[in-house]
Amino acid sequence: MRALGIDGAWVLEPKVFPDDRGSFHEWYRGEEFREATGHDLTLAQANCSVSRRGVVRGVHFSDVPPGQAKYVTCVRGAVLDVVVDLRTGSPAFGQWEAVRLDDDTRHAVFLAEGLGHAFMALTDDATVIYLCSTGYAPDREHGVHPLDPDLGLPWPEGMEPVLSPKDAEAPPLAQALRTGLLPSYEDCVARYRWLRGG
């Protein structure tokens, strides 16, 4: 696994073994995952979403504690996956990292609690699976508008973004910050330390 430029985010770039039957790859190995990230992957919920081309899901995040870490991959088609640092007080606050996830390279992204997550489907029937460290809890789930120009997320040109009503009504980053909606970097770091047993 390779660390991304935002503390708490990594990308898995597995070796894929193709043959005349198809292909095989390992998308999770507990010991290597823990060694690279310092985290254990606690599984509380597994999600699968299928999206048509242009659909944008996110930017989603949860209150910390407990927060919700995610391990994300695309098993059919392709998406542009984006991790956004929404942790107030973070050295990288407001910055993002984008990774293409597709059924060819089989890359996966892990993001720790407190980071925001979004993706855009680049193909029809783009199928994303993600493992979550905590279950869905509507009262702790929030969003930031994925088309906020201040965030400047790198959505591809020539594709009309399709948003859910909930994502379309999400506040821009400045408003989420002003209203105290965002998690603090200090709380997130304390949570990471606690999860690592420290």
Side-chain angles (χ1 to χ4, degrees):
M1 293 190 78
R2 175 174 60 84
L4 294 175
I6 294 174
D7 180 41
W10 291 265
V11 61
L12 171 75
E13 299 166 326
K15 185 167 185 180
V16 178
F17 300 93
D19 62 24
D20 59 354
R21 300 167 299 166
S23 70
F24 173 85
H25 72 286
E26 296 173 339
W27 82 287
Y28 176 74
R29 290 179 60 122
E31 188 175 330
E32 292 176 9
F33 182 92
R34 185 170 38 262
E35 190 175 293
T37 67
H39 292 254
D40 282 309
L41 185 60
T42 302
L43 177 60
Q45 185 170 319
N47 300 330
C48 176
S49 69
V50 181
S51 304
R52 65 182 171 92
R53 186 174 185 269
V55 166
V56 174
R57 297 181 187 262
V59 178
H60 300 150
F61 66 98
S62 298
D63 291 337
V64 178
Q68 187 182 68
K70 295 177 182 175
Y71 190 50
V72 186
T73 193
C74 182
V75 296
R76 180 179 181 186
V79 300
L80 183 67
D81 195 84
V82 181
V83 178
V84 184
D85 195 341
L86 300 175
R87 303 167 298 185
T88 61
S90 166
F93 178 75
Q95 296 178 24
W96 50 262
E97 287 271 353
V99 177
R100 180 185 167 99
L101 305 179
D102 59 45
D103 57 13
D104 182 39
T105 64
R106 304 294 183 178
H107 290 176
V109 168
F110 173 71
L111 56 145
E113 295 82 354
L115 294 173
H117 179 249
F119 66 83
M120 175 184 259
L122 304 177
T123 61
D124 284 330
D125 296 325
T127 304
V128 173
I129 56 173
Y130 39 111
L131 309 180
C132 303
S133 65
T134 57
Y136 177 66
D139 56 323
R140 296 195 313 257
E141 309 285 334
H142 308 287
V144 169
H145 202 291
L147 305 182
D148 179 1
D150 289 339
L151 272 180
L153 299 182
W155 306 128
E157 294 181 16
M159 259 196 262
E160 185 65 32
V162 179
L163 306 181
S164 71
K166 181 180 175 184
D167 288 344
E169 293 169 5
L173 181 63
Q175 181 182 338
L177 177 61
R178 191 169 54 251
T179 58
L181 190 63
L182 303 175
S184 80
Y185 185 64
E186 183 179 336
D187 288 346
C188 291
V189 169
R191 180 69 176 170
Y192 307 155
R193 194 176 301 119
W194 182 84
L195 288 169
R196 293 170 185 158

